[in-house]
Protein backbone atom coordinates (compact mmCIF):
# COMPACT_ATOMS: atom_id res chain seq x y z
CA UNK A 1 0.00 0.00 0.00
CA UNK A 2 1.50 3.32 -1.10
CA UNK A 3 0.55 6.52 0.67
CA UNK A 4 -0.34 9.61 -1.31
CA UNK A 5 2.70 11.86 -1.24
CA UNK A 6 0.92 14.96 0.09
CA UNK A 7 -0.68 13.05 2.95
CA UNK A 8 2.59 11.38 3.90
CA UNK A 9 4.34 14.75 3.93
CA UNK A 10 1.55 16.42 5.89
CA UNK A 11 0.96 13.87 8.62
CA UNK A 12 4.16 11.83 8.62
CA UNK A 13 6.82 14.55 8.64
CA UNK A 14 8.45 14.59 12.12
CA UNK A 15 9.20 18.31 11.91
CA UNK A 16 5.58 19.16 11.09
CA UNK A 17 4.34 16.92 13.91
CA UNK A 18 6.67 18.55 16.40
CA UNK A 19 5.64 22.03 15.26
CA UNK A 20 1.92 21.26 15.59
CA UNK A 21 2.39 19.61 18.99
CA UNK A 22 4.31 22.65 20.22
CA UNK A 23 1.64 24.98 18.84
CA UNK A 24 -1.13 23.07 20.59
CA UNK A 25 0.83 23.08 23.83
CA UNK A 26 1.60 26.79 23.60
CA UNK A 27 -1.81 28.02 22.43
CA UNK A 28 -4.26 25.56 24.00
CA UNK A 29 -2.11 24.30 26.88
CA UNK A 30 -2.67 20.68 25.83
CA UNK A 31 -0.32 17.76 25.36
CA UNK A 32 -1.31 15.64 22.38
CA UNK A 33 -1.57 11.95 23.37
CA UNK A 34 0.32 9.08 21.76
CA UNK A 35 -2.95 7.78 20.34
CA UNK A 36 -3.23 10.97 18.30
CA UNK A 37 0.15 10.30 16.69
CA UNK A 38 -0.94 6.75 15.84
CA UNK A 39 -3.91 8.36 14.12
CA UNK A 40 -1.45 10.46 12.12
CA UNK A 41 0.54 7.33 11.24
CA UNK A 42 -2.67 5.78 9.94
CA UNK A 43 -3.52 8.81 7.79
CA UNK A 44 0.01 9.01 6.43
CA UNK A 45 -0.12 5.35 5.36
CA UNK A 46 -3.36 5.56 3.36
CA UNK A 47 -3.18 4.97 -0.37
CA UNK A 48 -5.75 6.27 -2.91
CA UNK A 49 -8.23 3.42 -2.38
CA UNK A 50 -8.14 3.77 1.40
CA UNK A 51 -8.48 7.54 1.19
CA UNK A 52 -11.51 7.13 -1.04
CA UNK A 53 -13.04 4.73 1.49
CA UNK A 54 -12.40 7.27 4.25
CA UNK A 55 -14.17 9.95 2.20
CA UNK A 56 -17.07 7.55 1.62
CA UNK A 57 -17.45 7.39 5.41
CA UNK A 58 -17.92 11.18 5.30
CA UNK A 59 -15.25 11.79 7.89
CA UNK A 60 -12.29 14.06 7.35
CA UNK A 61 -9.55 15.78 9.37
CA UNK A 62 -10.79 19.06 10.77
CA UNK A 63 -10.12 21.62 13.47
CA UNK A 64 -6.67 21.24 14.98
CA UNK A 65 -5.75 18.95 12.06
CA UNK A 66 -5.80 21.99 9.77
CA UNK A 67 -2.53 23.09 11.36
CA UNK A 68 -0.74 20.26 9.56
CA UNK A 69 -1.10 22.24 6.32
CA UNK A 70 0.74 25.13 8.00
CA UNK A 71 1.75 24.85 11.68
CA UNK A 72 2.30 28.61 11.85
CA UNK A 73 -1.12 29.53 10.40
CA UNK A 74 -2.71 32.54 12.08
CA UNK A 75 -6.37 33.32 12.75
CA UNK A 76 -8.14 36.13 10.99
CA UNK A 77 -7.68 39.55 12.55
CA UNK A 78 -9.43 39.92 15.88
CA UNK A 79 -9.96 36.18 16.36
CA UNK A 80 -8.23 33.61 18.54
CA UNK A 81 -6.72 30.36 17.25
CA UNK A 82 -8.37 28.46 20.13
CA UNK A 83 -11.82 28.92 18.58
CA UNK A 84 -10.80 27.33 15.27
CA UNK A 85 -13.03 24.30 14.84
CA UNK A 86 -14.86 25.11 18.09
CA UNK A 87 -18.62 24.81 17.62
CA UNK A 88 -21.14 26.79 19.63
CA UNK A 89 -21.88 24.01 22.14
CA UNK A 90 -18.41 22.49 22.39
CA UNK A 91 -17.33 22.39 26.05
CA UNK A 92 -13.86 23.76 26.78
CA UNK A 93 -12.66 20.17 27.32
CA UNK A 94 -13.36 19.38 23.62
CA UNK A 95 -10.72 19.90 20.88
CA UNK A 96 -12.08 19.13 17.41
CA UNK A 97 -9.88 16.98 15.16
CA UNK A 98 -12.36 15.20 12.88
CA UNK A 99 -15.57 16.10 11.07
CA UNK A 100 -18.18 13.43 10.60
CA UNK A 101 -20.35 14.61 7.73
CA UNK A 102 -24.12 14.84 8.22
CA UNK A 103 -25.85 16.84 10.96
CA UNK A 104 -22.62 18.41 12.17
CA UNK A 105 -21.12 15.26 13.63
CA UNK A 106 -17.61 16.01 14.84
CA UNK A 107 -15.04 14.39 17.09
CA UNK A 108 -12.76 15.98 19.64
CA UNK A 109 -9.88 15.02 21.89
CA UNK A 110 -11.22 15.28 25.44
CA UNK A 111 -9.23 16.78 28.30
CA UNK A 112 -10.71 17.00 31.79
CA UNK A 113 -7.70 18.76 33.26
CA UNK A 114 -6.81 21.01 30.32
CA UNK A 115 -3.37 19.44 30.05
CA UNK A 116 -3.70 15.83 28.93
CA UNK A 117 -6.20 14.26 26.54
CA UNK A 118 -7.68 11.04 27.88
CA UNK A 119 -10.31 10.07 25.35
CA UNK A 120 -12.40 11.03 22.34
CA UNK A 121 -15.79 12.72 22.43
CA UNK A 122 -18.32 13.27 19.67
CA UNK A 123 -21.77 14.72 19.08
CA UNK A 124 -24.04 16.17 16.40
CA UNK A 125 -24.31 19.96 16.34
CA UNK A 126 -27.53 19.92 14.27
CA UNK A 127 -29.31 16.96 15.83
CA UNK A 128 -30.53 15.74 19.18
CA UNK A 129 -28.57 13.75 21.69
CA UNK A 130 -25.65 14.56 23.90
CA UNK A 131 -21.91 14.10 23.88
CA UNK A 132 -20.60 10.55 23.69
CA UNK A 133 -17.28 9.66 25.29
CA UNK A 134 -17.24 5.96 24.47
CA UNK A 135 -14.00 5.79 22.47
CA UNK A 136 -10.58 5.94 24.10
CA UNK A 137 -8.61 6.87 20.97
CA UNK A 138 -9.11 8.50 17.55
CA UNK A 139 -8.60 5.17 15.78
CA UNK A 140 -11.25 3.50 17.93
CA UNK A 141 -13.67 6.19 16.77
CA UNK A 142 -12.76 5.60 13.12
CA UNK A 143 -13.01 1.81 13.53
CA UNK A 144 -16.54 2.19 14.91
CA UNK A 145 -17.49 4.21 11.83
CA UNK A 146 -16.00 1.58 9.53
CA UNK A 147 -17.95 -1.20 11.19
CA UNK A 148 -21.16 0.82 11.27
CA UNK A 149 -20.88 1.37 7.52
CA UNK A 150 -20.02 -2.32 7.00
CA UNK A 151 -23.17 -3.26 8.90
CA UNK A 152 -25.28 -0.99 6.68
CA UNK A 153 -23.72 -2.06 3.37
CA UNK A 154 -23.44 -5.80 3.87
CA UNK A 155 -27.05 -6.65 2.94
CA UNK A 156 -26.96 -4.55 -0.23
CA UNK A 157 -23.67 -6.10 -1.32
CA UNK A 158 -25.04 -9.59 -0.67
CA UNK A 159 -27.97 -8.80 -3.00
CA UNK A 160 -25.57 -8.11 -5.86
CA UNK A 161 -25.39 -4.31 -5.71
CA UNK A 162 -22.04 -3.71 -7.43
CA UNK A 163 -21.63 -0.15 -6.17
CA UNK A 164 -22.19 -1.14 -2.56
CA UNK A 165 -20.00 -4.21 -3.00
CA UNK A 166 -17.18 -1.93 -4.19
CA UNK A 167 -17.68 0.34 -1.19
CA UNK A 168 -17.63 -2.67 1.11
CA UNK A 169 -14.34 -3.79 -0.43
CA UNK A 170 -12.93 -0.30 0.14
CA UNK A 171 -13.97 -0.47 3.77
CA UNK A 172 -12.08 -3.75 4.05
CA UNK A 173 -8.91 -2.07 2.81
CA UNK A 174 -9.43 0.80 5.25
CA UNK A 175 -9.94 -1.65 8.11
CA UNK A 176 -6.76 -3.51 7.16
CA UNK A 177 -4.85 -0.23 7.28
CA UNK A 178 -6.29 0.72 10.66
CA UNK A 179 -5.75 -2.56 12.50
CA UNK A 180 -2.03 -2.34 11.77
CA UNK A 181 -1.97 0.43 14.35
CA UNK A 182 -4.84 -0.34 16.78
CA UNK A 183 -7.78 -2.66 17.52
CA UNK A 184 -6.19 -5.62 15.72
CA UNK A 185 -7.28 -7.87 18.57
CA UNK A 186 -10.93 -7.07 17.80
CA UNK A 187 -11.82 -9.67 15.19
CA UNK A 188 -15.53 -8.80 15.01
CA UNK A 189 -16.89 -6.97 11.97
CA UNK A 190 -20.03 -5.06 11.11
CA UNK A 191 -22.98 -5.66 13.42
CA UNK A 192 -20.99 -8.02 15.64
CA UNK A 193 -18.43 -5.27 16.26
CA UNK A 194 -21.12 -2.72 17.09
CA UNK A 195 -22.82 -5.12 19.48
CA UNK A 196 -19.54 -5.82 21.25
CA UNK A 197 -18.04 -2.32 21.47
CA UNK A 198 -20.55 0.39 20.52
CA UNK A 199 -24.04 -0.58 21.68
CA UNK A 200 -23.40 -1.76 25.26
CA UNK A 201 -24.50 0.68 27.95
CA UNK A 202 -21.58 2.40 29.60
CA UNK A 203 -21.17 1.69 33.33
CA UNK A 204 -21.86 4.35 35.93
CA UNK A 205 -18.71 6.43 36.43
CA UNK A 206 -18.43 7.40 40.07
CA UNK A 207 -15.49 9.72 39.36
CA UNK A 208 -17.70 11.98 37.25
CA UNK A 209 -20.86 13.97 37.93
CA UNK A 210 -23.96 14.10 35.72
CA UNK A 211 -24.18 17.05 33.31
CA UNK A 212 -26.82 18.12 30.80
CA UNK A 213 -24.49 17.54 27.83
CA UNK A 214 -24.22 13.85 28.92
CA UNK A 215 -20.40 13.92 28.98
CA UNK A 216 -20.12 14.21 32.75
CA UNK A 217 -17.70 16.43 34.68
CA UNK A 218 -14.65 15.35 36.63
CA UNK A 219 -14.87 16.79 40.14
CA UNK A 220 -15.07 15.47 43.70
CA UNK A 221 -16.93 18.20 45.59
CA UNK A 222 -20.62 18.64 46.35
CA UNK A 223 -23.42 19.95 44.15
CA UNK A 224 -26.51 21.94 45.00
CA UNK A 225 -28.77 19.26 43.50
CA UNK A 226 -26.80 16.35 44.96
CA UNK A 227 -26.39 15.09 41.40
CA UNK A 228 -25.81 11.39 40.78
CA UNK A 229 -22.60 10.12 39.20
CA UNK A 230 -22.25 10.17 35.43
CA UNK A 231 -24.52 7.56 33.88
CA UNK A 232 -26.61 7.25 37.02
CA UNK A 233 -29.42 9.68 36.16
CA UNK A 234 -32.50 9.42 33.99
CA UNK A 235 -31.32 11.75 31.20
CA UNK A 236 -34.82 12.81 30.16
CA UNK A 237 -36.00 13.65 33.69
CA UNK A 238 -32.76 15.43 34.51
CA UNK A 239 -32.88 17.47 31.31
CA UNK A 240 -36.54 18.38 31.84
CA UNK A 241 -35.84 19.54 35.38
CA UNK A 242 -32.96 21.78 34.28
CA UNK A 243 -34.84 23.25 31.34
CA UNK A 244 -37.63 24.32 33.71
CA UNK A 245 -35.06 25.82 36.07
CA UNK A 246 -33.41 27.73 33.23
CA UNK A 247 -36.74 29.17 32.10
CA UNK A 248 -37.16 30.88 35.50
CA UNK A 249 -34.74 33.81 35.25
CA UNK A 250 -34.84 34.56 38.96
CA UNK A 251 -34.24 30.96 40.01
CA UNK A 252 -31.44 30.66 37.50
CA UNK A 253 -29.68 33.76 38.81
CA UNK A 254 -30.00 32.44 42.36
CA UNK A 255 -28.52 29.10 41.28
CA UNK A 256 -25.65 30.88 39.54
CA UNK A 257 -24.93 33.07 42.55
CA UNK A 258 -24.94 30.04 44.87
CA UNK A 259 -22.52 28.20 42.61
CA UNK A 260 -20.18 31.20 42.50
CA UNK A 261 -20.42 31.53 46.31
CA UNK A 262 -19.43 27.89 46.71
CA UNK A 263 -16.52 28.37 44.32
CA UNK A 264 -15.30 31.40 46.25
CA UNK A 265 -15.54 29.33 49.46
CA UNK A 266 -13.30 26.64 47.99
CA UNK A 267 -15.62 24.11 46.28
CA UNK A 268 -15.94 24.85 42.54
CA UNK A 269 -17.89 21.66 41.73
CA UNK A 270 -21.32 23.25 41.43
CA UNK A 271 -19.88 26.06 39.30
CA UNK A 272 -18.38 23.45 36.98
CA UNK A 273 -21.52 21.37 36.44
CA UNK A 274 -23.94 24.29 36.27
CA UNK A 275 -21.57 26.17 33.98
CA UNK A 276 -21.34 23.19 31.65
CA UNK A 277 -25.14 22.86 31.69
CA UNK A 278 -25.64 26.51 30.79
CA UNK A 279 -22.96 26.39 28.11
CA UNK A 280 -24.80 23.46 26.50
CA UNK A 281 -28.21 25.13 26.83
CA UNK A 282 -27.29 28.76 26.08
CA UNK A 283 -29.38 28.80 22.89
CA UNK A 284 -27.98 32.18 21.91
CA UNK A 285 -29.33 33.93 25.01
CA UNK A 286 -26.78 36.51 26.23
CA UNK A 287 -27.54 36.12 29.95
CA UNK A 288 -27.11 32.34 29.80
CA UNK A 289 -23.90 32.71 27.81
CA UNK A 290 -22.47 35.19 30.30
CA UNK A 291 -23.49 33.06 33.28
CA UNK A 292 -21.84 30.02 31.67
CA UNK A 293 -18.65 32.01 31.12
CA UNK A 294 -18.50 33.29 34.68
CA UNK A 295 -19.23 29.89 36.20
CA UNK A 296 -16.76 27.98 34.05
CA UNK A 297 -13.98 30.53 34.52
CA UNK A 298 -14.42 30.37 38.30
CA UNK A 299 -14.68 26.56 38.30
CA UNK A 300 -11.64 25.86 36.17
CA UNK A 301 -9.47 28.32 38.06
CA UNK A 302 -10.61 26.83 41.34
CA UNK A 303 -9.80 23.34 40.07
CA UNK A 304 -6.35 24.34 38.82
CA UNK A 305 -7.33 24.10 35.14
CA UNK A 306 -6.30 27.55 33.83
CA UNK A 307 -6.10 26.48 30.18
CA UNK A 308 -9.77 25.51 30.23
CA UNK A 309 -10.68 28.78 31.95
CA UNK A 310 -8.94 30.68 29.17
CA UNK A 311 -10.69 28.61 26.47
CA UNK A 312 -14.07 29.23 28.11
CA UNK A 313 -13.54 32.99 28.16
CA UNK A 314 -12.11 33.06 24.63
CA UNK A 315 -14.99 31.02 23.27
CA UNK A 316 -17.48 33.31 24.99
CA UNK A 317 -16.08 36.28 23.06
CA UNK A 318 -16.48 34.47 19.74
CA UNK A 319 -19.56 32.24 20.15
CA UNK A 320 -21.53 34.27 17.58
CA UNK A 321 -19.17 33.46 14.70
CA UNK A 322 -20.94 32.27 11.54
CA UNK A 323 -18.15 29.79 10.80
CA UNK A 324 -15.77 27.79 12.98
CA UNK A 325 -13.05 28.12 10.35
CA UNK A 326 -11.05 31.10 11.64
CA UNK A 327 -7.65 30.52 10.04
CA UNK A 328 -6.39 33.21 7.72
CA UNK A 329 -6.39 32.15 4.07
CA UNK A 330 -2.92 31.48 2.65
CA UNK A 331 -1.63 34.21 0.38
Amino acid sequence: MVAVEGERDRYGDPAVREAVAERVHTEWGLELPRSFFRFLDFLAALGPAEQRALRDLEIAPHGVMDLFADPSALPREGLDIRVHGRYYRDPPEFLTFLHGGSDGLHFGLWSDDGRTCDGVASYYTHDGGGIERRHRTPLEAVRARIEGAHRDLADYAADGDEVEAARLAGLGLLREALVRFETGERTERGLAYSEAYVYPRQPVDTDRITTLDEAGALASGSTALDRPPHGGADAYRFGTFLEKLFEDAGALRAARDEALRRAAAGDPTEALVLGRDLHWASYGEPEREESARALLAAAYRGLGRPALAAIAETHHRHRALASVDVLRAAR
Side-chain angles (χ1 to χ4, degrees):
M1 182 174 63
V2 179
V4 176
E5 191 70 27
E7 297 301 299
R8 183 169 60 236
D9 290 346
R10 178 175 297 185
Y11 301 122
D13 187 314
V16 173
R17 290 185 180 209
E18 182 177 355
V20 171
E22 180 59 30
R23 184 83 186 274
V24 172
H25 183 264
T26 300
E27 302 279 5
W28 281 268
L30 297 173
E31 178 181 347
L32 293 173
R34 291 182 181 179
S35 63
F36 181 77
F37 292 98
R38 289 195 297 274
F39 174 63
L40 297 179
D41 292 337
F42 162 72
L43 293 177
L46 297 182
E50 292 84 2
Q51 288 194 353
R52 184 163 53 251
L54 190 66
R55 289 194 298 272
D56 285 345
L57 285 178
E58 296 187 328
I59 56 176
H62 181 50
V64 71
M65 295 292 294
D66 294 333
L67 291 177
F68 284 88
D70 178 6
S72 62
L74 297 175
R76 298 192 303 276
E77 186 174 356
L79 299 179
D80 191 296
I81 187 67
R82 288 170 292 185
V83 297
H84 179 67
R86 183 164 294 281
Y87 292 79
Y88 181 81
R89 300 176 93 183
D90 287 1
E93 292 89 344
F94 192 109
L95 178 65
T96 299
F97 72 93
L98 194 67
H99 193 271
S102 63
D103 294 320
L105 174 63
H106 59 297
F107 299 80
L109 299 173
W110 186 272
S111 174
D112 281 310
D113 64 6
R115 292 187 297 274
T116 56
C117 299
D118 57 359
V120 170
S122 63
Y123 76 98
Y124 295 84
T125 59
H126 309 315
D127 202 355
I131 297 173
E132 182 177 285
R133 295 181 59 254
R134 181 179 301 271
H135 306 299
R136 297 172 300 170
T137 71
L139 287 178
E140 278 192 10
V142 175
R143 177 77 191 272
R145 293 281 290 183
I146 290 172
E147 303 306 342
H150 179 111
R151 176 197 64 219
D152 296 339
L153 291 173
D155 288 342
Y156 293 106
D159 290 339
D161 188 316
E162 294 183 0
V163 173
E164 304 302 353
R167 288 187 62 192
L168 195 61
L171 285 178
L173 294 175
L174 191 62
R175 180 192 295 111
E176 289 177 13
L178 189 150
V179 298
R180 294 189 179 100
F181 299 99
E182 272 189 32
T183 71
E185 75 285 357
R186 300 181 178 182
T187 58
E188 302 88 348
R189 295 184 179 186
L191 178 60
Y193 185 95
S194 297
E195 289 178 336
Y197 304 107
V198 179
Y199 296 159
R201 179 181 175 85
Q202 295 291 92
V204 173
D205 186 345
T206 56
D207 291 330
R208 310 181 71 79
I209 300 172
T210 292
T211 53
L212 186 61
D213 59 22
E214 299 183 21
L218 184 65
S220 58
S222 63
T223 64
L225 299 176
D226 194 22
R227 300 184 189 215
H230 176 56
D234 181 308
Y236 176 78
R237 291 180 61 190
F238 179 71
T240 300
F241 173 83
L242 282 185
E243 289 294 346
K244 289 182 178 178
L245 170 65
F246 293 171
E247 289 170 1
D248 184 332
L252 179 55
R253 291 184 193 119
R256 176 202 61 200
D257 292 346
E258 171 62 13
L260 291 173
R261 184 196 67 76
R262 289 176 177 231
D267 185 355
T269 302
E270 177 65 16
L272 175 62
V273 294
L274 184 61
R276 284 269 302 279
D277 294 342
L278 279 170
H279 181 84
W280 186 252
S282 288
Y283 304 140
E285 297 184 17
E287 185 171 1
R288 291 192 188 187
E289 291 178 344
E290 170 56 26
S291 292
R293 180 210 63 79
L295 288 164
L296 290 176
Y300 293 133
R301 289 197 174 94
L303 290 163
R305 305 172 188 175
L308 296 181
I311 290 171
E313 294 186 315
T314 298
H315 192 196
H316 174 72
R317 293 195 298 271
H318 300 299
R319 286 189 83 180
L321 288 176
S323 170
V324 298
D325 184 356
V326 306
L327 294 182
R328 189 178 301 168
R331 297 179 179 178

